[in-house]
Amino acid sequence: KNNEVAEAVQTAENILKSLDDRISISSDGAGRTDGAEQLDLKHFTREMSILAELSMKKNSRILAKTAPIAQNILEKMEKLYLSRSASFELDSIAYNAVANAWSKSGRKDAGLKIEKLLEHMEELSEDGFDKVKPCTITYNTAISAWANSGEDHAIAHAEKLLAKMIDQFNAGDHGVKPDTFTYSSLIDVYSSLSSTRITGLAKRAEKVLTKMEDLYMAGEKDVKPNIYTFCAVIDSWNKSGEKGSAYKAEAVLGRAIDFFEAGDEDFRPNVVIFSAVIASWARSNEDEATKKIEMLFRRMQNYGIRPNVFTYSSMISAYAKAGDSKKAEGLLNEMEKRYLAGDKEVRPNAFTYSSIIHAFAMSGKKGSAEKAEALLKRMEDLYEAGDENLQPNVIVFSSVMHAYRKSGLKVAPKKMEDILNYMEELHAAGNESVKPTVVIYNQILDALAQSKYWDGGDKAEALIQRMVENNISLNSVHFKYAIVAHLKSGKMKSAQKAEALLRRAERLYKEGNEEVKPEIICYNACISAWARSKERGAAQKADSILNAMVADNIAIPDKVTFNTVSDAWAKSRAKGAGRQAEQLLMRLTELYESSGNEDMKPDIVSYSTVIDAYAKNEKPLEAARILNQMINSGVKPDAVCYNSLMTAWAFSKERRKAKEAKKILDMMRDQFESGDKAMKPKAISYNIVLNACAKTAKSDTVDVSEAIQIAFGTYSELQNSRTAKPNEYIYGTLLKVLRDLMPLGDQRRDLVKKVFLKCRHEGYVDVKILKILSGAAASKELFDELMERAERNDNDNVKLGDLPAEWTRNVRKRR
């Protein structure tokens, strides 16, 4: 293609040089020939025929080069003619040829160039050169140039030109009568800009079509719309993106069909107009899009219209958007079958394959990512076999990556990185179409951030370094993904690495790089990483990040920030953690009350983290105070809040804690049965009460007796509960109650036996149960009796693997 452009330009330049060799232009503009004879039109015949041939080429790069040369030649011809040094007369044909070259050049200033030429023709006409007078073709060419320009002001210029034509025609100049091409070109102007920020252009295009229909029906045969006029209006609706545009496009098709069914063969629908409407539905977000497309497909077949590659590709695109990879793949198979049978019009192209790959990516179904990658390989094989139209580009590779990102596969980030490595190899070998873009890196970083890879954070940082080495500008999104990847990795020192990345982004921003300004999520993720780290001093680190945010004012702390720091204190179990968390709650409350910003109003998480912090500090009274404060502020607690309060009692040193925990459980159950679904007591709620019983001080005989009674009463309630059932945790804690609180004797022996046999029957025996049982049984004879069917090793010990399968069948795998 580059050679074609070079050859065409050289041809045009040779024409100009040939004329310059034969024509000498004096300094005052008068022309004279090299010899005594005058030049006549035949001297320009060869040159003009070659230029005409060049102007017919569709390559705008050629016309962009040759149009100025054609203009130059016309100017030389005009000077010869006006100086009386030529024996030929100029007419509008030569000027229109140059206008046509400008119109097809693809240059944004082509419309202005033609308008200037048109004005010059009018001046010559007014000076008596009647044959140079602009005609309908001249105006049409100018309007067409504006349609190709893509400039916002093209509309005003095109409408002004049409208005001028109408005025001159009404004044008696029948040489500039607007015709079908005039109005169709104006519609093309609207269509070309319909996808821009200018609104209402599709309606204006359809209004022009309606005017053409009205004029035609009134007897104006010169403005009869044709099937391609209807297509241009449909294209305007396609590009508009307006709600309901697909319905509008289909209605325009219906108007064309009405003309055809009334007997006008010029309106016979073809594959172009049907495909355009199908494409409109494919682009829409309407729920019935695929049904509409299937109906249109059947309708075009009823007219005997054979679908082409654009028809199939649009349908495949619609199925891709709907996530129906099965139908998309079925259409591809149909296309390939028809193509191999000799139908060249359905030869699948890169868009076809990329649409199906996108369908696999959107479906999210099992195996979709692998199918997308297989289709990419198929494209490559066909390209290597000689089909140059199927060379995969960066968009195709990106779609395959997207399929893996949505797949949820553990290997997804690794697969995506392998694809990136392959793309870089291809690019290094000279394939510019697969040069990895920032979108490619973003997808891999996003996958790593979601992956929970043990080394996901390190891989994300390595990828960022790779971007720097490849001169890809970093932005805040890249740092966000890497920080979140560190957060989810759980790897040793991940919190330090997350904070180091945050500080790097802050430093770059302070140095003037606005693109890397850390988002609030970067800070919150970093704080969360410290909260999860279990490292000594983690809560203080989280607190210092919050304080630095307030001081630096790069990102304003939000409710999530305060809640996450509070959670860090709760997880730390540090002395005074409850008080620290409460102070954060107070700060958040003050910010809300002073600003009135509802987004800063403390929520259930804000209060529950403080309750949790006091619970882990074994301060049930403080936890209860915060719960009451929560209720008084209008925030409704849930089961988690009450579980935390029960935990505070269970692990405290307060007397009668079992009774207090049971009161809270009863309150939860009553509220749930009254319709509050958020208060649903689960097995963990019952287990907390059992724990409160098991941790009752042995020195208080009253408390011990009460605790045992509460424990078995709670267990009995759980057996009859509609919301939870006993599990391995329940049986283990109940055996602890017997082991730690009940004195040795027949009663303890009977209860231990009863609890274990029930646990065994329900299939909840696990390692911890065996360990607790050995202490609760208090005698080898009872333990051996209960292990009657268990196998023994050489040391006469029982392991989990030695137990009958039915004893352990319901134990959770994590145990």
Side-chain angles (χ1 to χ4, degrees), residues 524-747:
N524 291 344
C526 193
I527 291 169
S528 186
W530 279 114
R532 296 183 185 185
S533 70
K534 299 181 181 179
E535 292 188 31
R536 196 171 185 178
Q540 289 84 348
K541 288 283 189 181
D543 218 316
S544 68
I545 293 173
L546 169 60
N547 294 331
M549 289 175 72
V550 174
D552 293 344
N553 202 31
I554 295 176
I556 307 300
D558 61 9
K559 180 164 56 183
V560 175
T561 314
F562 283 93
N563 289 350
T564 310
V565 177
S566 182
D567 184 53
W569 280 110
K571 284 183 167 65
S572 73
R573 299 179 179 270
K575 187 177 180 181
R579 182 59 185 160
Q580 292 288 346
E582 186 176 357
Q583 286 178 350
L584 287 164
L585 175 61
M586 291 168 62
R587 285 173 65 183
L588 181 60
T589 303
E590 288 170 4
L591 283 170
Y592 163 64
E593 291 175 348
S594 62
S595 67
N597 183 356
E598 287 294 321
D599 290 338
M600 296 299 286
K601 183 178 181 180
D603 58 12
I604 190 169
V605 178
S606 311
Y607 287 99
S608 63
T609 51
V610 181
I611 294 170
D612 186 39
Y614 274 125
K616 287 171 179 170
N617 278 171
E618 301 175 10
K619 293 186 178 296
L621 298 177
E622 297 297 332
R625 178 175 58 81
I626 298 298
L627 180 65
N628 290 329
Q629 182 181 325
M630 175 183 184
I631 295 169
N632 293 334
S633 70
V635 178
K636 190 173 178 298
D638 61 5
V640 174
C641 299
Y642 280 93
N643 285 345
S644 294
L645 181 56
M646 285 193 292
T647 300
W649 280 107
F651 289 89
S652 73
K653 293 179 174 59
E654 300 288 337
R655 290 194 66 232
R656 310 197 73 179
K657 58 186 180 182
K659 184 177 181 180
E660 292 295 334
K662 183 62 167 60
K663 281 167 59 178
I664 297 169
L665 175 61
D666 292 343
M667 189 186 308
M668 288 176 65
R669 188 186 61 249
D670 291 344
Q671 289 186 33
F672 173 74
E673 290 177 352
S674 297
D676 189 348
K677 303 302 180 184
M679 299 301 289
K680 179 180 179 180
K682 297 183 180 179
I684 188 174
S685 307
Y686 290 90
N687 197 49
I688 294 169
V689 175
L690 294 180
N691 260 310
C693 297
K695 294 181 179 298
T696 297
K698 296 179 183 179
S699 58
D700 192 326
T701 55
V702 175
D703 269 9
V704 167
S705 176
E706 183 180 70
I708 294 173
Q709 185 178 356
I710 290 172
F712 279 89
T714 301
Y715 170 64
S716 178
E717 287 178 13
L718 177 58
Q719 286 182 306
N720 298 316
S721 172
R722 294 182 293 106
T723 64
K725 293 297 176 186
N727 56 26
E728 63 267 38
Y729 300 101
I730 295 294
Y731 288 114
T733 310
L734 196 57
L735 286 171
K736 282 182 182 179
V737 171
L738 295 173
R739 182 193 67 187
D740 298 339
L741 299 185
M742 183 165 279
L744 295 173
D746 291 341
Q747 186 181 13

Side-chain angles (χ1 to χ4, degrees), residues 421-464:
N421 293 336
Y422 181 51
M423 290 175 71
E424 289 184 338
E425 287 177 16
L426 292 174
H427 179 247
N431 185 352
E432 285 294 325
S433 70
V434 296
K435 182 180 180 180
T437 62
V438 66
V439 174
I440 295 293
Y441 289 97
N442 284 354
Q443 289 200 85
I444 303 175
L445 287 168
D446 186 16
L448 288 168
Q450 296 181 40
S451 68
K452 296 184 181 180
Y453 268 23
W454 179 75
D455 58 348
D458 293 337
K459 285 183 177 294
E461 282 203 58
L463 199 61
I464 286 177

Side-chain angles (χ1 to χ4, degrees), residues 130-144:
D130 293 338
K131 292 186 177 181
V132 186
K133 186 178 182 180
C135 62
T136 299
I137 294 174
T138 319
Y139 281 94
N140 287 353
T141 307
I143 296 173
S144 180

Side-chain angles (χ1 to χ4, degrees), residues 399-410:
S399 293
V400 177
M401 282 192 174
H402 184 61
Y404 272 112
R405 185 164 64 90
K406 284 196 67 176
S407 69
L409 294 171
K410 290 183 178 180

Side-chain angles (χ1 to χ4, degrees), residues 9 31 88 168 265 273 291 318 328 342 369 380 608 652 686 707 732 745 750:
V9 172
F88 58 84
Q168 291 184 5
E265 279 291 326
I273 194 166
K291 289 182 180 179
E380 289 187 297
S608 63
S652 73
Y686 290 90
D750 292 343

